[in-house]
Structure formats: structure tokens, C-alpha cells
Amino acid sequence: MIWSLLYSLKRLWRVKSRLLIMGFFLALGFSGWLTGESAQTSIKAYLAQNAKQILSADITVSVRRELKPDELKTLETLTQNQGQLAKGYEFFAMITAGEDTRLALVRVIDDSYPYYGELKLDSPFVAKDLRNGNLWAYEEFKSLIDLKLNQKIKLGDSEFSVSAFVSEDKTQTFRLASLAPRIFIHLSDLEKTNLIKFGSTFTTTYFLKANPETDVEDLAANLKKALPDPGVDISNYISLPDEESSPTQRLADFLGLTSLVTLLFSALSLFYLIQVWSLEQQKERALLSTFGVTRFQLFFVELVQSLFVALTSTLISVGVVLLLKPIIETGLKNWMNQSFDLAVGWQEILLILGSQFILLIALSNPFSKSSQNSTSQLLKNNFVTQQSGVLRFAPLFLLLWPYAILASQSLRNGTYFFGGLLFISLSLVFFGRISINFLSKLKWSSWKSSLAVKSLRRQSTASWAFLFTVGLSSSLLNLIPQIQSSVESLLKFDEVQSRPSLFMFDIQSEQWPDLQAYLNEKNIQPTATSPLVRARILKVNGENFERKETAGQFQSREEEESSRSRNRGVNITYRSYLQNGEKIVSGDEFPLTYNSQQKYAFVSIEKRYAGRIGVDIGDIITYDIQGIEIEAEVKNLREVKWSRFEPNFFVLMQDGLLNDAPQTILSSLPYLDSNVKNEAIKTLANRFPNISVIDVERLMESIVQNLEKIGGALRLMTYLTLLTGMMTIIFLLSAESQRRAFEIHLIKILGADSSSILTNRLTEVLILGSISVLVGVSTSFAIAYLVVDQVFQVSFTPNFLPAIGIILTVLAVCWAITSFSSRLQLKKQSYAFLKKEE
Amino acid sequence: MIEIKNLKKTFSTRQGPLEILKGINFEIKKGEIIAITGFSGSGKSTLLGLLAGLDRPQSGEILYDGKNLNQLSEPEAQKFRAQNLSLIFQNHYLIPHLTALENVVLPLQILGLPFESQQAENLLTQVGLGDRLNHYPSELSGGESQRVAIARGLIIKPLVLLADEPTGSLDTETGNKVMKLYFDLVRQNKLTSVIVTHNQELASLCDRELKLSQGMIAE
């Protein structure tokens, strides 16, 4: 053992520069990972620390209706002596200020709100009393409708005065799509607005500030048991409600996933580096084994070396992250409107140290004994027979899968991410093989090209390492601009024209004739008018459909989504036709009109929603619709294009059964000229104050703006990926020239002039570079198409400019590095070089 | 055929200039096989590098049929070397991703000479590797690899075959076999050859032995 340690230390000193290079490349990848990890940890820590503020209470009980008297009694009984209880509402409504009308998210609060967190008002001198017709508004209204302090605004049937602007709301978290900014009114002023009545869409929330001695989780669990309706949502700050934290966490998860790519590049470089230096190392091992050194001792030497590299790399990685800290913190603040303290904790440091150590050991595989390189062969020859083939990279990719799942905390997202990388890699393997095989079948008149193609075909490990690195880098680099350009195309005029201009909800049935008359008068034809019937699921196949309980935090995002879908009521529509954006994807079509002879009514369920609530074709669902039980059979599953911004529903029932049920109406107005649109908004707000109107174009703008913010986060990771990718490519190319030095000098001695040798090297690198970058960029178009189509549900608009830029840049880098490093080699004395090699 | 006149070569070292060859003079006749022997560091390999035109002396002349190699420009020297001289190393130096046959035809391809692969196949058959044409260097033994290197040296039909410790990495028996083959082929093709070696047995098989000692020829 002592010998091993002494030998390890001596060896460390001898190959220190080499190990430092390895440490540098390892650090390059792990810096990205550590950045992603620490951003993720900081965001999660922020959410945990601010859970009470976000919830603004210890426990909240929310329901999209008023609590029934018995439910309220249960709530009051259970919370008696447990703390203070306050009531609030939230709903959308139109506000009119002067000539402008806008949708607002109205939060109705009492004096005690918020129990935790803070609503920062813009001036300490403003009247903070909300009673008596006062209103606080988000500052966004200043720019949206030029709202001023003390200005009168109309909300429902009542008039309010703006007594303060809210400059910071700690109860609000980052959201991708915010339909409208918030306003706050007092509970005592709600009634006169006349906005909450039958059919209105609103949420009633009870906020509980628990006594210090109250066991919050225990009380929340008791409330869940006592209020069994899954539509009643009970949240506590310890398990933060997912709707609040989810978008922010997902962004953090995505950052984590992107940073894994830099890790992959780093591993590829390292793998290649180990290959390049493996001859000497294997020779040394072979020599030591002839002296009787055991495999365990050799392994020990490897351990010490790996530990040294991992430590060096960890130090560099931490240094890089600390350098990037201010940039990332500013970025996060910009994207999420909240300050984050990016901390690199011991946990992360130990995690990357451990991961690097394991990675190094796995890559160098000190226990392996190559069957093709016996000890005697190793000592005699000047080259190692490399196990050829792409399968050498398989462990690297397989390691990435669990990491991706861990980083995204989602089997589905992690697997999608891994699947994407696998798709790119398999495409590279497939097209790479086909192209190289094709090229090698051609008859090359020039030895330079012929040798280049043979080299590509036969030096597979080096070729594949290069192909993967360049291909994956190019693909990832092109992916983000492609997705971005397609999403931005939502704002293009023809796209805007194909969508409705206004989306109206909470229309009372009795208002519909008047509304239609007004629209007829203005010659506007409403589209996709749909009734909305509120219901809740009682049973599925006779089994009670219960609230989904989990102990503590959700284990995965899928669990979280499923729980959210179950623990909420459901809106059902009925129609005798399918809309343009709807398509049946499985099951049978059914007559869209109900026949009283049917045993069950037929329903069509949106495919993803069906998955989340766990129902399938043939299942019988019992709905409670205003106290009446209705049984329905799931006849088919539908896909719905939500991005059309038309009234769409998870559940579509046959026409004829629910027509007399209490209902409201949703409708949309087709593309309108902006003057007509503004006038319509104003008139609707005046004549039908309870109807909420969403300006679809404005909503799209807000989504794109938020996407732009997320794009910023992604771009930072992309730049880091780009840097790692480029460094990896540059390193691979120069290492390849070094590895091929022997060949360069031999060919020179055999009579080739320098320019021919350079042409040979460039031909080889540019062929491989072209295959990699073309396949990489093409696969990114395919992946971008899928993401845009499936996630954003918009038509894919390819943007060829960044793709061309990436192709040219990568090829230019290949050319420049190969020329430079080959020229350096060619300047050396070939004979002296080869003699030295002996 | 080859005349070496007052050849000097000095290397710069941290301790100052180191004179490796101190004015060497000798001649080699056409078809002659010369052994250059000497202790390690005596300048044998340096001399071979100069003869091959891969390095330039400080002074002196290397004349091939009267043509002074040192007066040729770099491209001319490179062309002359490629067409007239072949080198065989102690470590065979075959390109690992080319087969035996491909390694042998490579010099012809580089020179842009028309060739039939039959030519290379015949040579490989002559060196006893007719059945190993498509084998990679990793699939050949040290002796076999050296025989491929000899075939590669012969393929361009050089004026002079220069060999640097050609048996240095082979065991005695294999070395003897390879060198017997080497001598047979050189004589059969009426080639001139210079062999750098410290193997006395090998040197004794050559037509003449030139001993290098302290930078001078001690014949």
C-alpha cells in the first residue's frame, strides 16, 4: 500500500500537466452542471423559504364555488382555536378606467391579508385602507391603460378609486402565461360589484394563520379527510401547492437538464483524452505487472490519480461558478422578478467531486484487461488496438439517463430529454455509417482523399468521439433558435388573423340573446360558442374518485399533475359537432346527440387529461352536476389544439342531456380590427360587466415576452454549452493532430509534401465535420418540429439563418484548428520525431 | 555513387553546441551494402538522417551520382528523397489503419506513380506475406510488420535503401530471418543500401563496415 501511495504521488508529479488538462476539461462540463444545480437549489430554497409568503397563510382552503354550509361548519370547527381564519375571493373581471377597458384578476381580501409576505405599495403616503371603494392595482396597469392614483375605475356594477399601486407582490410567483394583472378590493366592497353570482367563475379561499403550537400538516390532513370533495383544494406551506411553485421549478429543472449536455461534452473529451493517452498508461501498467505489481495496487494508483484530477476540476468548477454568480443572479432576478442568492453548498461540491471521481474511474476502467493487447504486445508495439465501434460510448449515454430523470424530477421529462439525445446520437451513428461507407466505396484518384476516408472508416473510436461531440453541439445550438422562431411566429399577422381576437367567459344564459343582438348589430359573428356546465367526478367504474393523497412532496412531476387534475372540479360542455382544433385519436366516434334509450351518456375526453385522471375508453364516470348524478361512458379520446385559443374543454358530452342544467356560456369573436376590438371590449364591459373578456393577441404577447425571459435563461446555458462544445471540438481536433503526429511524419518521410499532408488532414476533418454538423442540425429541426407541434401546438416555422451560421462556424473552426495544429506538426523534424518515438 | 565530403553536424544544447559529426568523408559504390556501426550517441542515426535528406548538415557535401543533396531546395530535396531513397526504421512504423497491402502501395500513391496492386502483392509474397495482404499491423507480429516495412521500402524501386537498426526490435532468430530476406532482396534488385546497426553479426554480413567513433569514421 505504501509503495502504491508513493508511486502514485511520483506519477502525479510526472504527468501533472496532463492531469491538469484532464481536470480543465472535466471542469468545463461540471461548471455548467454546477451552475444548473446551484440555480436549481437556490430556486428551490427560495420557494421553500418563501412558501408561507407565496401562500400568504399557513393553510389555504380553496374551492371554485362557495363552501356549502356543512363544509363551512366543518372548516370552522376544525380550525377553531387553531388560529385566525380569513376569507377571500379571486376571479377575472373587466375594469374600465376612462376610455380604456382591461381584464383584471381581482383578489378580494380582508384587513388581515396577507398573513405572511408583503404587498409593497408604491408610496408610504398613500391611503392603505382598502374599504369604502378603494382599490389597489398592480403597477402594470400604469403602462397598460395609463391608470393613475385616485383615478375612478368601474368594476362590475360599482366604482372604485385607485388608492395605491402594488410595486411588489411576494404572493405572486413566476408564471408563463399571466392572463391579467391583479387588483385588490376589500371583502366588504364585493357585494356591490355584483360580480359573484350563479355561474360566475371564481375561487373562494379561506386563509388560516395557524397558532404556533398547531401542527400544520396534521391539521391540513384532517381538513382533507373532513372535506372529501376533490374540488376542495387544501394546501399548506410545508407542501407548497404545486400550481404556485410549478412553473418556477420547471424552469429550474430545465436549466438542470441543459447543463447535463455540457457534462456529456466534458465526458466525451475526457473519454477521448484517456484514449489518446491510453497507450502509455497501458504500457506502464503492463510493465509494472511484469514486476509483480498486483491489479489492486494498479487500481490504487488509478484511484489516487482520479482523486487528484477530480479535486483539481472541482476547484476550477467552483471558481467558474463563483465568477458567473453575479451574472446568473441578475439573470434569475430578471426572469423571475425575485432575488436569488446563488449558493454553492458543500452538498453540491461533494456531489460533483464524487461524480467526477466515479466518471474518471468508469472511463479509465483500470480493471479492464484488453484481450487484444497482451502485456508482451503492449511492451513491443507503439500503438494500442482500439476496440472499435460506437458501443464504447454506450455507458456514457446510459449514465446520462438516470441523471436526466434526477435533474428534471420527472421520468417523462428526463426520458424525453434522454430520448432526444439518443435520437440525435443514433441519427449520427446511422447517417455517419452510411456516409462513410458510401465514401469508402467510391474510387478516389487522390491518395489524400483515399487515406482520409480509410482513416475515418477504420479509426472508429476517434471518429465517433468527434462525430458525437460536433453533432450534438450543432444540434443543441440550432434547437433553441428554431423553437423560438416558431413561437414568435404566433405573433405574425396571418397567424393572428386565424385566431379569435376576443375570448369571452362567464356569459349567463339569459345574457346570450342580448349579447348576440349586439354582435349582430356590429356584424360580428361569434365562433366556438360553448355551454359550460360545472361538475365533479364522483366515481369511476363504481369506485369512489377520491382526492389523491401523497405523503409530503410529490415524487415526480407526473404525480403532481395527476394529483392536480384529480383534486379539482371539471367543466363539461356539450355540442353536436367537433371543432376545427379537435380530433378523435382513439376509440369510436359516437352520435353527438343524446338518445334517451342509451344506458349511459357518451363522453369524449381530452387525451392528456384522461391520462392524468387515470380513465380510459370504456370507463364509466359518475358526475355530480349540481346534485344530480349522471353516468357517462368514455367513448373516445380527443386531441385538442389549445393554441387556437378557442373555447375548448377536457370533457365533451353528447348534446341533449345537459341542456337544462345550470350553465354559463363561453364564446369567442373572430379576428377584429383593433378599433372594432377595443370598442367591443368597452361595450361588453359596460353592458355586460360580469362577462370576462380576454384579449387573445395581448395574451400571446405576454406569453412570448415570458418565453423571451425563459429564452434568456436557456441562452445562458446554450452559451455555456456552446463554449464547452467548441472547446471540446477544438481540443479534439488538436489532440487528434497530436495523436496522428506519427502518421503525419511517416507520410512526410514517405515523400508527401506539407501541403498534401495538410490537404489529407483537412479532407478527413471536413468530411467528418460536415457529416456531424449536417446530421446534428437536421435532427434539431426534427426535434424542434416535435416540441413546437406537441408542446406549443403551433405550426413549425424553420429559421435557416442560424442553422447556416452554425454549419459555417463549425466547419470554419474545424478548418482553422486542423490547419494550425497540423502546420505545427509539420514544422518539426520528421526523422527526429520518429526516432524520439522509438 | 554516393560521396560524403567533410560532413559536419552540430546540435545546440543547453550546455552549448554539441558537434556530433566532425567532418566525415567516405564513398559508397553502386550496389554496395554498407554497415555503419558505433556506440550509442556516436552519430549513426544523425548520419542516416542526413543521407536521407531529412536533416541538413552545417557543412560538407552529400553527392548522389554527383548531385549535391544539400544544394537542393526543400521541395527538390523532398522530391529527390521520395523518388530515390527509402527508409526502414527499427520500429517498422506502419500506418495502423491501413492493411499490409495498403501500407506497401502508399509510397506509390503519394508519388502519384501509376501502379498495379499486383506489384505490391508480389513484393509481399516475396517477403513471405502473400497470405497476409489484408491484415492490419495489429494482426501481424513484429517480424512480419518489419517485412511489410521492407516491402514498402522496395516498392518505389529506390536507388538507395537506408535502414536504421532494422532488427533492433526483433529477437535474434526473427532478426536473422528478416535480414536474410533483406540482403536477398537488395542484392536481387541490385540496390545500394546503408544499414545503421550496433549488431556486429549483421554488420559482418554487409560488404563493408564503417565505424563511427567520436564523430569521425574509424574504418
Side-chain angles (χ1 to χ4, degrees), chain A residues 313-523:
Chain A
S313 160
T314 304
L315 279 175
I316 302 173
S317 309
V318 173
V320 170
V321 177
L322 291 180
L323 275 175
L324 289 175
K325 184 176 148 83
I327 305 171
I328 298 163
E329 282 176 352
T330 314
L332 286 175
K333 189 169 171 27
N334 182 29
W335 305 322
M336 286 175 242
N337 295 326
Q338 275 133 16
S339 304
F340 288 93
D341 180 24
L342 194 74
V344 183
W346 282 109
Q347 212 178 343
E348 284 91 41
I349 293 177
L350 287 176
L351 185 67
I352 71 160
L353 182 65
S355 302
Q356 291 178 345
F357 185 65
I358 292 168
L359 185 68
L360 283 166
I361 293 290
L363 287 177
S364 55
N365 196 4
F367 277 125
S368 76
K369 195 176 179 198
S370 171
S371 55
Q372 295 174 62
N373 295 290
S374 66
T375 303
S376 57
Q377 242 184 322
L378 278 167
L379 293 174
K380 247 176 12 189
N381 288 340
N382 256 353
F383 56 85
V384 175
T385 309
Q386 289 183 342
Q387 290 165 24
S388 70
V390 67
L391 285 177
R392 297 214 75 186
F393 297 92
L396 264 182
F397 280 94
L398 289 178
L399 260 177
L400 205 71
W401 195 358
Y403 262 101
I405 293 169
L406 214 67
S408 62
Q409 290 181 26
S410 159
L411 180 67
R412 189 186 62 195
N413 293 350
T415 306
Y416 278 174
F417 176 80
F418 174 76
L421 287 183
L422 198 66
F423 167 69
I424 302 170
S425 307
L426 290 178
S427 306
L428 285 164
V429 171
F430 179 73
F431 290 107
R433 278 227 166 111
I434 285 188
S435 313
I436 293 173
N437 282 347
F438 170 75
L439 289 172
S440 60
K441 283 199 175 92
L442 296 180
K443 191 119 183 112
W444 296 94
S445 56
S446 152
W447 69 270
K448 292 158 264 186
S449 316
S450 153
L451 190 64
V453 172
K454 277 177 191 153
S455 167
L456 283 179
R457 189 156 181 225
R458 296 168 187 176
Q459 305 213 69
S460 53
T461 306
S463 300
W464 288 121
F466 183 88
L467 198 83
F468 284 139
T469 313
V470 179
L472 280 167
S473 315
S474 319
S475 189
L476 292 163
L477 290 175
N478 190 42
L479 191 59
I480 290 165
Q482 296 311 325
I483 294 175
Q484 209 174 344
S485 70
S486 295
V487 175
E488 278 169 358
S489 72
L490 281 171
L491 291 181
K492 282 185 189 155
F493 186 67
D494 50 345
E495 281 282 340
V496 170
Q497 273 190 316
S498 71
R499 279 196 303 269
S501 267
L502 299 176
F503 184 97
M504 303 176 291
F505 59 98
D506 280 356
I507 307 167
Q508 307 292 315
S509 304
E510 61 273 16
Q511 289 176 318
W512 184 242
D514 286 348
L515 181 60
Q516 261 190 321
Y518 161 72
L519 296 173
N520 280 342
E521 186 188 309
K522 294 286 167 193
N523 211 13

Side-chain angles (χ1 to χ4, degrees), chain A residues 4 88 108 126-127 198 236 256 297 302 313 335 342 344 415 436 470 478 491 495 560 569 681 706 737 793 796:
Chain A
S4 305
V108 185
V126 295
F198 175 75
N236 68 80
Q297 285 172 310
E302 203 68 47
S313 160
W335 305 322
L342 194 74
V344 183
T415 306
I436 293 173
V470 179
N478 190 42
L491 291 181
E495 281 282 340
E560 193 182 307
I681 294 175
N706 279 323
S737 284
Q793 299 185 338
F796 179 58

Side-chain angles (χ1 to χ4, degrees), chain B residues 29-137:
Chain B
K29 294 188 189 101
K30 190 171 168 55
E32 203 176 11
I33 301 177
I34 298 288
I36 298 176
T37 59
F39 296 112
S40 294
S42 59
K44 304 186 296 287
S45 294
T46 306
L47 176 60
L48 197 76
L50 292 171
L51 290 178
L54 292 164
D55 200 358
R56 300 253 168 170
Q58 263 69 36
S59 62
E61 292 176 346
I62 302 169
L63 303 168
Y64 281 92
D65 288 335
K67 186 186 264 189
N68 190 346
L69 195 58
N70 300 331
Q71 283 178 349
L72 299 179
S73 65
E74 186 57 43
E76 285 170 338
Q78 182 264 327
K79 195 175 171 193
F80 177 81
R81 181 177 66 241
Q83 289 171 343
N84 301 293
L85 309 173
S86 278
L87 261 167
I88 293 163
F89 296 90
Q90 176 180 339
N91 283 330
H92 41 77
Y93 284 139
L94 300 178
I95 294 179
H97 59 266
L98 296 184
T99 61
L101 185 64
E102 287 166 344
N103 264 292
V104 173
V105 296
L106 185 62
L108 293 177
Q109 291 176 309
I110 289 173
L111 289 174
L113 298 174
F115 71 95
E116 296 282 334
S117 62
Q118 190 59 46
Q119 222 177 317
E121 283 173 29
N122 289 344
L123 263 176
L124 280 167
T125 307
Q126 278 184 56
V127 298
L129 296 170
D131 54 346
R132 312 293 292 273
L133 302 176
N134 294 316
H135 285 224
Y136 288 101

Side-chain angles (χ1 to χ4, degrees), chain A residues 556-574:
Chain A
S556 69
R557 295 276 172 261
E558 289 74 33
E559 224 180 289
E560 193 182 307
E561 280 180 359
S562 159
S563 163
R564 219 161 44 219
S565 299
R566 289 174 75 100
N567 299 351
R568 115 179 358 155
V570 58
N571 296 330
I572 302 178
T573 195
Y574 57 89

